[in-house]
Amino acid sequence: MTTLLWGVLPYVAFALLVAGLVWRYRYDKFGWTTRSSQVYESKLLNIASPAFHYGILFVLAGHLVGLFVPVSWAEAAGVSERTYHLFSLYGGTAAGLLAVAGIVLLIYRRRTNAPVFRATTANDKVMYIVLLAAIVMGMVAKLAHSSGDGYDYRQSIAPWARSLFTLQPDIDRMAGVPVLYEVHAVIGMVLIALVPYTRLVHMFSAPVQYLFRPYVVYRSRDPEQLGPRPEKRGWERTGS
């Protein structure tokens, strides 16, 4: 089971991610979208969407730093273990709460607004459940092991995660990892595998072409000037 979870599942999740992205790009370009429902309701969306997106961006940034920046690099930059733990605890919790609040509002909006609810697919429901579970479980694991300097996952989970890129997964590093962290990691890998098959695929889209396109000039027109040419005040030259 240890080999399956920490030596096989990560590569299965990555393979499904890559295969899904390639398939969606080649055969479902028109489906590569968030399927925005803003046309049905925008007031609550304008609150929930920014909250979720800012929260999840901070959560992702924290994971990237925690998993892929070695302890020696942090110490060389003058960041002690205590400082990192406090920043991770309070900053990560705040980001997680912001993301969870955004997701809860989005789910509430979809459940209470009839047109939005009708536009919600089974795929969306699964995505919301897995995404919410991954974030909440990460927060629970962090808070459950927050006493003292907390659980130092940078000595276990982080080296294991980095070893995956060498194709020699160091599964021994996962021995003794708290169960809550293990559950969080498994749900995270499931979420990675689901990304290209859900609306979350839009995270891989960036409007790079907007940096190079020509400017679009918009000119306002007086509504009174629409239609025939308006009459001008004063004398006009007559034909000879």
Side-chain angles (χ1 to χ4, degrees):
M1 181 60 70
T2 300
T3 302
L4 178 64
L5 287 178
W6 315 122
V8 176
L9 184 59
Y11 296 108
V12 172
F14 182 74
L16 290 173
L17 172 69
V18 174
L21 290 174
V22 172
W23 181 85
R24 289 292 294 271
Y25 185 79
R26 293 192 59 182
Y27 302 106
D28 190 32
K29 287 185 179 180
F30 289 106
W32 192 299
T33 172
T34 61
R35 299 199 309 275
S36 175
S37 57
Q38 186 175 6
V39 67
Y40 302 124
E41 193 278 338
S42 61
K43 186 177 181 179
L44 188 57
L45 182 66
N46 289 337
I47 300 174
S49 183
F52 166 69
H53 282 91
Y54 281 116
I56 202 66
L57 283 175
F58 286 123
V59 168
L60 289 175
H63 278 69
L64 290 176
V65 172
L67 294 178
F68 301 110
V69 175
V71 177
S72 58
W73 293 13
E75 292 177 346
V79 180
S80 65
E81 174 60 29
R82 180 63 176 171
T83 301
Y84 175 84
H85 169 65
L86 293 176
F87 184 81
S88 175
L89 176 61
Y90 293 109
T93 301
L97 288 174
L98 184 61
V100 169
I103 295 176
V104 171
L105 286 176
L106 289 172
I107 294 175
Y108 172 80
R109 171 179 173 270
R110 286 190 170 275
R111 191 64 187 86
T112 58
N113 187 285
V116 179
F117 182 70
R118 287 194 295 268
T120 303
T121 65
N123 182 296
D124 294 329
K125 297 175 183 178
V126 172
M127 179 270 296
Y128 276 121
I129 292 173
V130 177
L131 180 60
L132 187 59
I135 298 174
V136 170
M137 186 54 65
M139 294 172 59
V140 171
K142 189 68 177 179
L143 294 174
H145 299 276
S146 61
S147 59
D149 288 335
Y151 175 70
D152 190 7
Y153 58 86
R154 294 191 299 168
Q155 301 292 347
S156 56
I157 302 176
W160 163 77
R162 293 194 295 270
S163 72
L164 296 175
F165 292 91
T166 65
L167 301 182
Q168 295 178 338
D170 189 359
I171 60 177
D172 292 336
R173 290 279 189 170
M174 297 301 290
V177 172
V179 175
L180 292 176
Y181 277 98
E182 291 183 336
V183 174
H184 173 58
V186 171
I187 298 176
M189 287 185 282
V190 172
L191 180 62
I192 290 173
L194 287 177
V195 163
Y197 309 98
T198 65
R199 65 174 62 215
L200 291 177
V201 71
H202 77 277
M203 66 186 295
F204 289 98
S205 301
V208 179
Q209 67 273 18
Y210 279 74
L211 299 175
F212 308 100
R213 72 173 187 174
Y215 292 107
V216 178
V217 179
Y218 294 93
R219 294 186 176 90
S220 61
R221 296 185 62 182
D222 189 339
E224 297 180 357
Q225 294 183 0
L226 298 177
R229 191 182 71 168
E231 296 182 359
K232 295 183 178 180
R233 298 179 61 186
W235 296 93
E236 290 189 5
R237 177 179 298 179
T238 60
S240 57

